[in-house]
Amino acid sequence: DQQVKQNSPSLSVQEGRISILNCDYTNSMFDYFLWYKKYPAEGPTFLISISSIKDKNEDGRFTVFLNKSAKHLSLHIVPSQPGDSAVYFCAASGQAGTALIFGKGTTLSVSS
Amino acid sequence: DAGITQSPRYKITETGRQVTLMCHQTWSHSYMFWYRQDLGHGLRLIYYSAAADITDKGEVPDGYVVSRSKTENFPLTLESATRSQTSVYFCASGVSSGNTIYFGEGSWLTVV
């Protein structure tokens, strides 16, 4: 059973508009959440994270929102750029000593 | 600064052969991980290690063996490769298990 779900396999957005990528989780013990970005033929790279004690974390064009009651987080990219086209993975962690659990990923395509 | 490196980057092997994928990190991170990426499945954890001589199974450990005699190395061995093990394999490392981890560039393995 998937503990981290990214229900949209793909998302297409125009350059300059907002991209919103969503992630749901089922395990209420998760207390730290991360987003990774992956280009083809490269390894995933860390993008942004958020602790469960916060509901928002911002880094430049990237903002992650956490809604603990809904067990939902989202990544907002504003404004979107063609270079943002990649696969985005949501990940979560909980119990100390356990590894990150990843979602299946969402492929973002930003057109110019 | 190499960070984390994987070898080989590309490998074609035959069913039943033993294959070892190497992973080396220069950060002295305690934790190291092996994930595989497959279409429709995202990133799935195979094995991870908290320190030298300490390893734990992940979500999909069957058919794989790991060892960690030195902090910087974490080889993954497929004892008798099967076609279902055709995948992209990513090694990662981090200071802790549930925080930011850093990925290598991946090893593309094809089993024919």
Side-chain angles (χ1 to χ4, degrees):
Chain A
D1 187 32
Q2 269 189 284
Q3 297 188 66
V4 178
K5 301 177 184 179
Q6 294 178 256
N7 293 319
S8 298
S10 63
L11 174 68
S12 293
V13 172
Q14 281 193 320
E15 182 179 8
R17 307 293 287 263
I18 184 171
S19 295
I20 300 176
L21 295 94
N22 295 303
C23 179
D24 297 298
Y25 60 96
T26 58
N27 190 338
S28 57
M29 297 300 291
F30 287 151
D31 59 5
Y32 194 69
F33 305 88
L34 308 89
W35 285 94
Y36 279 79
K37 176 180 180 179
K38 185 186 178 306
Y39 291 120
E42 294 184 9
T45 56
F46 170 71
L47 189 57
I48 192 169
S49 62
I50 187 166
S51 164
S52 61
I53 63 173
K54 294 186 173 182
D55 54 18
K56 175 183 174 181
N57 188 28
E58 193 172 352
D59 183 1
R61 296 186 297 114
F62 303 91
T63 303
V64 57
F65 295 92
L66 176 62
N67 182 333
K68 290 186 290 293
S69 61
K71 294 192 180 68
H72 177 83
L73 63 154
S74 60
L75 175 68
H76 293 212
I77 306 174
V78 183
S80 300
Q81 299 173 354
D84 295 329
S85 297
V87 179
Y88 289 79
F89 289 101
C90 172
S93 72
Q95 187 178 354
T98 60
L100 293 180
I101 297 175
F102 286 82
K104 293 184 178 182
T106 297
T107 299
L108 173 65
S109 299
V110 181
S111 58
S112 54
Chain B
D1 61 345
I4 184 165
T5 54
Q6 295 183 228
S7 62
R9 292 292 314 280
Y10 305 94
K11 174 80 175 178
I12 299 174
T13 191
E14 295 177 338
T15 302
R17 297 257 189 184
Q18 183 179 81
V19 177
T20 296
L21 306 180
M22 304 299 293
C23 180
H24 176 78
Q25 53 111 351
T26 60
W27 291 309
S28 300
H29 286 161
S30 296
Y31 282 84
M32 295 188 74
F33 310 83
W34 276 105
Y35 287 88
R36 59 178 287 177
Q37 183 192 10
D38 304 286
L39 268 175
H41 290 282
L43 290 163
R44 292 183 294 174
L45 181 68
I46 305 171
Y47 269 97
Y48 67 106
S49 168
D53 298 321
I54 300 175
T55 61
D56 269 304
K57 294 180 180 179
E59 181 186 356
V60 288
D62 293 343
Y64 302 95
V65 174
V66 293
S67 62
R68 194 157 176 217
S69 56
K70 292 184 177 181
T71 302
E72 61 266 30
N73 297 324
F74 191 38
L76 176 73
T77 298
L78 288 66
E79 293 190 301
S80 179
T82 66
R83 289 194 180 88
S84 65
Q85 293 177 309
T86 292
S87 186
V88 184
Y89 291 85
F90 290 101
C91 180
S93 72
V95 173
S96 63
S97 62
N99 214 309
T100 308
I101 63 174
Y102 302 89
F103 285 86
E105 293 187 324
S107 293
W108 272 253
L109 177 67
T110 301
V111 183
V112 298

